[in-house]
Amino acid sequence: MSAVASARQILTRLHEVMAGRTHAQHKLDRVVDIIADALTSEVCSIYLLREGALELYATRGLNPEAVHVTRMAVGEGLTGTIAKNIETLNLAEARAHPDFLYRPETGEEKYHSFAGVPIVYRERAVGVLCVQHVEPRRYEDVEIEALQTTAMILSELIAHKELVDGENTFDLGEASTETEILEGLTLVKGLAAGAAVFHQPRIEIDQVVAEDVEAERQRVYRAFDKMRDQIDAMAKEPEFGKGGEHVEVLETYKMFAYDEGWSRRINEAIDSGLTAEAAIERVQQRTRMRMREIDDPLLADRMHDLEDLSNRLLRIVSGQLGTAASQGLRRDTILIARNLGPAELLEYDRRRLKGVVLEEGSLTAHVVIVARAMGIPVLGRVHGINSKVSEGDEILVDADKGTVTLRPSQPMWDAFDARFAKTREKQAAYAELRDVEPFTRDGTRITVMINAGLRDDVSALQLTGADGIGLFRTEFQFLVSSTLPQRERQMRLYRDVLDAADGKKVIFRTVDIGGDKAVPYLDNNTAERDENPAMGWRALRLSLEREGLLKVQARALLEAAAGRQLSVMFPMVSEPWEFDAAKEIFEDQAEFLRERRRQMPDSIEYGCMLEVPSLAEVLDLLLPKVSFVSVGTNDLTQFLFAADRANPKLAERYDWLSPAILRFLDRVSKAMVGSKVRLGICGEMGGRRLEALALMGLGYTRFSITPAAVGPIKELVRKVYLPDLTKHMQRLLLNPPADMRAALTEWAEANDIELD
Ligand code: PEP
Ligand code: MG
């Protein structure tokens, strides 16, 4: 292939064609001529999507009879592969590629090399532009870039409807209207329906060719300045001085933001005649391609960072700032995002936000913890959601089954509505139990409290009629904040929660951060990062070492509870001395306040979680010290079975109703008999009916559960006759059946206890 004409020349010529008042077909014919001339390629062809297949629309070099005859399915042949994967192919020997498909009518057998780029419109491939050559060779970067630029111009023509006329129609890759069901990983269970809204609104590049190159250069300079200021401002936040993963990310951002190579390449693209937006996008495409070829996971991570930064630059330059939250939600919404931060989620209107679908996401992501607390179903790892859905499409999220239905048919809606209605009916029945105190048939009062962590959760107390908050996860405030919450801020939250609880009991658990609930501003440095975070430096272990952290929290809690009762619970206590040490920090702070004659809580009680099995072996030593013990079955199970609670592969493997757990819980319950210490349960297990039934049979009478479970558990309690249940549970534990779950279900049915 001979020397490549300057990119600017190609652009100018393409621009002339674009502006011309000729038929669309003529324009396409001219485009292939220009590219073939410029790249002195023997073949240049344009395929466009029509009726779902890629059709040859224009060619220089292939058999002209093949135009409007040769058609490839998306995914078929090299052209179809480019469209399907939305990626560039650069092949010295086309036949060697596994997807190569020979079409005799084209007469392409003599060509060896092949390069093709997708023509993308609204994140979908609507066509492919390719060149071929007899000589086997890989195409140079400048040649690929020329193709990519041309593809951008073609998509601009498409956007402006300049390639459609009487004889010439094709699919705009326009929003599919077909129903599609995608699978994902359940992150937060539940059902939701609404219209798709992209968290990051798409940036449409509607002008590719610059009218004034100098003006474009200035625009990109200013955008770079602004972006660098933003990154520098983030780095100046004092919390970033302490090391940790966040700092690393920020360092990478900084490195890219100041990378001369990146800005130079964008400037070169502008020199070639592109607008600032098109230049940023073009450079990004090139980097994406390079990184794909390198195939190194570490580099892939960096690629992610650069992609993020490139998007930020594009937003700044185009003035399209802000997420969908800042524009407000107008109807019931299913939010679509690659990933979300917890703070970003909290910016949305809770009344309108019905569900979240993520391309990525993992069970332990902070956003998932927050979404669960907000009662918003979340489905993660839904591959391709961003390109398969259009803004405004109707979506059904079934996060119980792990599916998302795009553009559902009427029967699908009907089936979904029926399920929804059933859920609502049940909820209405539960709502009627709001003011009913839960007594078993034999007259035992069961305490039903809720787990909470956000200010808004407290409203669930009134809605459900729960007895109080048995677990307030104070770390939520830390997780949703980008900086360490100061004492005043902590105090305000705790005071608001106590105010809203209006005299009902609230048990504040001191921060359970570290490990997988890592916060950037407290993280240890990377060299020491926990390999096994659940068993690592977390919760009370971290709080006792970072004594300042617990001191501040103690002061905030003591001040917030002035004139009321304060209940404090410590997480992850493994040995009684840890409880003593934590309590001492509180008592010192209380003394400090007393000396200054500040108003104190009316009473202070201390308790701890039982979630590390070792503590169960020393209950006799612990009980004289505490007012209450709350069993955290989430962690307890993972430690008892050595099974990571965040690993989806193990999620179904160990049953809460296994004899090992039930016997363990039975032992704990028996060890408490005769003691004044209150025993409760606050893991997820307590919110499930069959599990709660088993727990009541083991003597547990205090439950702290997710708010949605309060109604169902209250209803269950009213059906139970404890003496019978207790006897039955003891029998089962003595001689465990092969399937404990089945045996308990059978007993419940025989006793007229509904379970779902
Ligand atoms: C538990 O471990 O059971 C618990 C309630 O605490 P968390 O889920 O916050 O670890
Ligand atoms: Mg726990």
Side-chain angles (χ1 to χ4, degrees):
M1 194 176 279
S2 73
V4 178
S6 93
R8 195 147 179 184
Q9 254 174 316
I10 306 177
L11 264 192
T12 316
R13 291 181 62 196
L14 286 171
H15 198 48
E16 281 163 18
V17 174
M18 231 168 65
R21 298 190 131 265
T22 54
H23 287 307
Q25 181 66 47
H26 185 245
K27 282 183 183 168
L28 292 172
D29 293 340
R30 289 285 300 127
V31 170
V32 291
D33 281 344
I34 293 169
I35 296 299
D37 282 349
L39 305 189
T40 58
S41 70
E42 284 141 12
V43 175
C44 177
S45 314
I46 292 175
Y47 291 81
L48 293 175
L49 206 58
R50 172 147 73 177
E51 289 162 9
L54 289 157
E55 184 172 310
L56 180 64
Y57 263 67
T59 185
R60 151 92 85 91
L62 292 185
N63 203 342
E65 271 83 66
V67 171
H68 295 300
V69 171
T70 297
R71 287 169 61 80
M72 309 271 212
V74 172
E76 190 188 15
L78 297 179
T79 315
T81 302
I82 291 169
K84 182 172 170 231
N85 301 339
I86 314 192
E87 69 180 12
T88 297
L89 283 184
N90 180 358
L91 307 170
E93 189 53 78
R95 275 158 213 276
H97 194 283
D99 293 325
F100 176 80
L101 192 76
Y102 173 56
R103 279 296 166 87
E105 74 274 11
T106 58
E108 63 183 336
E109 55 276 14
K110 53 182 180 289
Y111 303 108
H112 288 268
S113 54
F114 173 98
V117 298
I119 302 168
V120 182
Y121 177 63
R122 301 210 164 140
E123 294 192 28
R124 294 190 175 83
V126 292
V128 171
L129 170 69
C130 55
V131 289
Q132 288 169 275
H133 206 269
V134 172
E135 178 200 348
R137 66 186 294 279
R138 262 177 77 84
Y139 293 83
E140 289 170 28
D141 282 355
V142 277
E143 295 168 318
I144 298 293
E145 282 170 16
L147 288 178
Q148 286 172 338
T149 304
T150 311
M152 282 172 87
I153 293 182
L154 287 169
S155 55
E156 185 191 328
L157 287 175
I158 288 165
H160 293 172
K161 311 244 175 321
E162 289 185 39
L163 284 184
V164 186
D165 56 28
E167 309 118 64
N168 218 340
T169 56
F170 58 92
D171 312 344
L172 273 185
E174 226 16 306
S176 163
T177 51
E178 279 174 24
T179 299
E180 205 166 338
I181 300 177
L182 305 175
E183 290 190 356
L185 175 72
T186 297
L187 297 179
V188 180
K189 281 190 167 192
L191 301 177
V197 169
F198 288 102
H199 170 60
Q200 299 272 17
R202 281 177 182 158
I203 297 180
E204 304 287 348
I205 299 180
D206 52 23
Q207 199 182 338
V208 176
V209 180
E211 277 161 17
D212 177 347
V213 169
E214 195 43 44
E216 296 302 317
R217 206 194 309 280
Q218 289 309 321
R219 289 180 64 218
V220 108
Y221 274 147
R222 281 197 298 275
F224 259 104
D225 278 350
K226 196 160 175 184
M227 184 184 69
R228 287 168 180 164
D229 284 350
Q230 287 177 357
I231 306 284
D232 289 347
M234 276 162 78
K236 278 205 193 90
E237 303 232 346
E239 293 76 14
F240 286 110
K242 300 197 189 99
E245 197 180 355
H246 224 83
V247 173
E248 253 180 75
V249 173
L250 209 69
E251 282 302 320
T252 315
Y253 272 36
K254 235 176 137 166
M255 186 184 84
F256 283 130
Y258 284 93
D259 177 31
E260 288 303 323
W262 184 32
S263 53
R264 194 192 59 241
R265 281 191 292 278
I266 292 176
N267 268 312
E268 282 167 3
I270 291 179
D271 281 342
S272 76
L274 295 180
T275 56
E277 287 88 344
I280 296 167
E281 176 65 21
R282 253 283 318 286
V283 170
Q284 190 53 18
Q285 277 178 2
R286 173 172 143 170
T287 319
R288 231 175 261 147
M289 195 177 76
R290 281 266 171 87
M291 293 288 187
R292 241 183 235 134
E293 285 170 0
I294 296 171
D295 190 25
D296 172 337
L298 270 178
L299 274 177
D301 273 356
R302 290 289 165 268
M303 171 68 203
H304 218 116
D305 298 340
L306 182 58
E307 188 113 17
D308 252 16
L309 215 58
S310 189
N311 285 338
R312 182 183 283 256
L313 192 63
L314 204 52
R315 280 175 200 291
I316 295 173
V317 93
S318 64
Q320 297 174 43
L321 302 163
T323 65
S326 57
Q327 290 156 23
L329 302 179
R330 274 172 223 100
R331 50 192 162 152
D332 287 358
T333 294
I334 304 295
L335 195 65
I336 313 290
R338 179 163 293 282
N339 232 329
L340 271 182
E344 289 177 313
L345 180 67
L346 286 168
E347 277 170 20
Y348 284 94
D349 178 352
R350 273 174 91 161
R351 288 162 306 166
R352 294 264 160 86
L353 183 59
K354 301 295 173 192
V356 175
V357 180
L358 303 173
E359 282 256 6
E360 297 175 356
S362 75
L363 275 166
T364 51
H366 301 155
V367 65
V368 171
I369 297 175
V370 174
R372 191 173 298 125
M374 290 165 79
I376 296 174
V378 183
L379 204 61
R381 314 251 174 97
V382 182
H383 298 299
I385 183 73
N386 267 301
S387 56
K388 289 184 172 148
V389 75
S390 297
E391 182 97 14
D393 274 357
E394 284 179 336
I395 297 191
L396 303 177
V397 178
D398 186 338
D400 292 340
K401 292 195 182 137
T403 61
V404 46
T405 308
L406 312 180
R407 304 168 289 274
S409 63
Q410 196 51 49
M412 285 168 159
W413 262 113
D414 294 345
F416 195 82
D417 281 344
R419 275 184 71 192
F420 235 162
K422 247 198 179 148
T423 319
R424 270 197 300 269
E425 241 171 62
K426 277 194 178 156
Q427 274 163 355
Y430 298 144
E432 289 191 1
L433 294 177
R434 206 188 78 138
D435 300 320
V436 175
E437 283 195 54
F439 281 99
T440 57
R441 277 171 41 218
D442 54 288
T444 308
R445 173 71 158 87
I446 303 291
T447 305
V448 182
M449 303 171 100
I450 58 165
N451 293 344
L454 299 166
R455 186 186 269 102
D456 288 358
D457 293 344
V458 186
S459 58
L461 262 186
Q462 272 72 43
L463 290 174
T464 59
D467 291 310
I469 299 179
L471 165 64
F472 189 88
R473 291 179 162 107
T474 59
E475 67 271 12
F476 277 19
Q477 187 185 29
F478 288 63
L479 292 178
V480 300
S481 169
S482 60
T483 58
L484 183 70
Q486 300 301 306
R487 180 160 58 90
E488 180 60 27
R489 242 170 83 205
Q490 292 185 38
M491 195 279 283
R492 274 205 306 272
L493 170 67
Y494 306 148
R495 197 186 50 205
D496 289 356
V497 169
L498 286 168
D499 287 349
D502 199 19
K504 287 187 176 176
K505 187 185 271 304
V506 180
I507 298 178
F508 290 97
R509 179 177 74 180
T510 59
V511 281
D512 182 358
I513 41 179
D516 70 317
K517 286 192 246 173
V519 289
Y521 43 85
L522 278 180
D523 211 349
N524 41 356
N525 70 43
T526 41
E528 295 169 36
R529 192 169 306 143
D530 287 332
E531 273 198 23
N532 209 333
M535 297 202 267
W537 192 58
R538 61 174 274 212
L540 199 59
R541 299 165 181 183
L542 181 151
S543 303
L544 288 177
E545 230 171 278
R546 290 272 171 105
E547 209 186 289
L549 179 80
L550 199 55
K551 264 190 197 163
V552 168
Q553 186 166 35
R555 272 279 291 284
L557 282 166
L558 289 162
E559 286 173 359
R564 321 185 241 211
Q565 192 197 39
L566 174 62
S567 302
V568 181
M569 174 159 75
F570 302 117
M572 286 283 285
V573 174
S574 316
E575 297 197 312
W577 71 263
E578 291 167 319
F579 173 84
D580 293 335
K583 180 179 169 188
E584 197 179 318
I585 292 174
F586 269 74
E587 291 290 295
D588 284 350
Q589 290 304 310
E591 191 50 38
F592 176 87
L593 291 174
R594 244 178 247 120
E595 278 168 8
R596 278 156 189 74
R597 303 195 178 285
R598 302 277 293 277
Q599 192 189 6
M600 296 296 295
D602 289 345
S603 62
I604 309 173
E605 58 166 12
Y606 301 95
C608 70
M609 303 226 7
L610 195 165
E611 51 187 343
V612 182
S614 62
L615 196 61
E617 301 297 334
V618 284
L619 275 180
D620 54 329
L621 306 179
L622 178 81
L623 293 184
K625 301 168 185 283
V626 296
S627 299
F628 59 90
V629 169
S630 186
V631 182
T633 46
N634 305 341
D635 275 313
L636 182 66
T637 318
Q638 76 167 342
F639 297 134
L640 217 48
F641 283 119
D644 186 347
R645 72 191 251 193
N647 186 338
K649 287 204 200 91
L650 301 177
E652 304 285 316
R653 195 163 183 127
Y654 302 100
D655 194 334
W656 273 319
L657 293 179
S658 71
I661 295 186
L662 295 179
R663 281 184 175 168
F664 187 98
L665 294 171
D666 185 48
R667 213 149 54 82
V668 170
S669 161
K670 287 192 172 127
M672 310 280 288
V673 172
S675 142
K676 281 207 186 91
V677 175
R678 304 187 307 266
L679 173 66
I681 199 121
C682 65
E684 300 298 309
M685 178 181 177
R688 297 161 65 134
R689 305 236 274 192
L690 195 59
E691 281 81 345
L693 189 70
L695 287 166
M696 282 188 264
L698 299 179
Y700 288 79
T701 56
R702 307 181 67 85
F703 292 76
S704 187
I705 54 183
T706 187
V710 171
I713 297 299
K714 274 188 167 185
E715 192 194 61
L716 172 79
V717 166
R718 289 156 49 85
K719 301 230 166 100
V720 167
Y721 186 68
L722 265 183
D724 285 355
L725 176 61
T726 312
K727 244 185 262 153
H728 186 66
M729 275 311 291
Q730 289 307 320
R731 229 176 287 138
L732 288 178
L733 284 194
L734 206 61
N735 216 343
D739 188 342
M740 184 69 94
R741 186 166 285 276
L744 257 174
T745 308
E746 202 180 303
W747 185 88
E749 279 164 3
N751 285 275
D752 276 341
I753 298 175
E754 267 181 54
L755 291 168
D756 50 33

